[in-house]
Amino acid sequence: MKKIEFNDLMPVKETIDDYKIFYSKLDEKYKEFDKQGVNKSFSVLSVIRNIYNKLTGEISDPQELFYTIMDDVIELIKNSKNYIEIPYEELEICVSILVVDAFIRCKIFKNPEGYNYVIA
């Protein structure tokens, strides 16, 4: 809650609340991939952070920034050579989980002082 308020994301709070429950399941998947040496967690979080960093110079409204990050990640996935088409709604849910996870892990948006991981 502190990070949401700190970043003026109260209108996005419901989205964060809806998808933060997947944090532990996603963490398990990341750990499985990382054990195999695939390093997916680092690459996925880096891509989301890079999109965030690029957009912070262009978008000042935090809510618009949050949703634009999701839109950009969706477009990146859809344009990937590895993308196997799935229904848009499913893709949107998956990307929402990833972006909320990046928010919780403090890879995107400012972190209130003293917090490493913020369970919104």
Side-chain angles (χ1 to χ4, degrees):
M1 183 69 149
K2 262 190 175 192
K3 186 173 180 184
I4 293 170
E5 290 173 5
F6 185 78
N7 286 284
D8 194 25
L9 287 169
M10 288 308 287
V12 180
K13 182 184 181 311
E14 191 171 312
T15 299
I16 293 169
D17 287 344
D18 285 348
Y19 295 105
K20 73 181 182 184
I21 61 172
F22 295 101
Y23 171 82
S24 61
K25 286 212 177 280
L26 184 57
D27 195 48
E28 287 174 26
K29 293 294 179 195
Y30 280 154
K31 285 178 182 172
E32 283 177 36
F33 283 125
D34 292 345
K35 279 181 191 172
Q36 297 169 11
V38 182
N39 215 4
K40 282 289 181 205
S41 61
F42 179 77
S43 57
V44 169
L45 293 168
S46 291
V47 166
I48 294 171
R49 185 172 180 85
N50 289 339
I51 291 170
Y52 166 77
N53 287 336
K54 183 189 113 202
L55 291 174
T56 53
E58 301 170 14
I59 301 172
S60 59
D61 178 75
Q63 298 87 20
E64 182 183 347
L65 176 58
F66 189 89
Y67 289 119
T68 302
I69 291 167
M70 283 204 248
D71 292 342
D72 283 12
V73 172
I74 288 170
E75 286 307 307
L76 182 71
I77 292 169
K78 286 171 60 179
N79 293 323
S80 169
K81 292 178 194 173
N82 300 330
Y83 178 59
I84 298 167
E85 193 168 338
I86 61 172
Y88 182 82
E89 295 78 17
E90 288 179 36
L91 178 59
E92 188 175 47
I93 289 168
C94 293
V95 168
S96 297
I97 291 168
L98 292 172
V99 172
V100 168
D101 179 71
F103 176 81
I104 290 170
R105 292 175 189 265
C106 297
K107 301 299 180 187
I108 59 173
F109 290 92
K110 292 180 182 162
N111 183 10
E113 289 185 57
Y115 292 87
N116 290 327
Y117 280 70
V118 177
I119 301 300

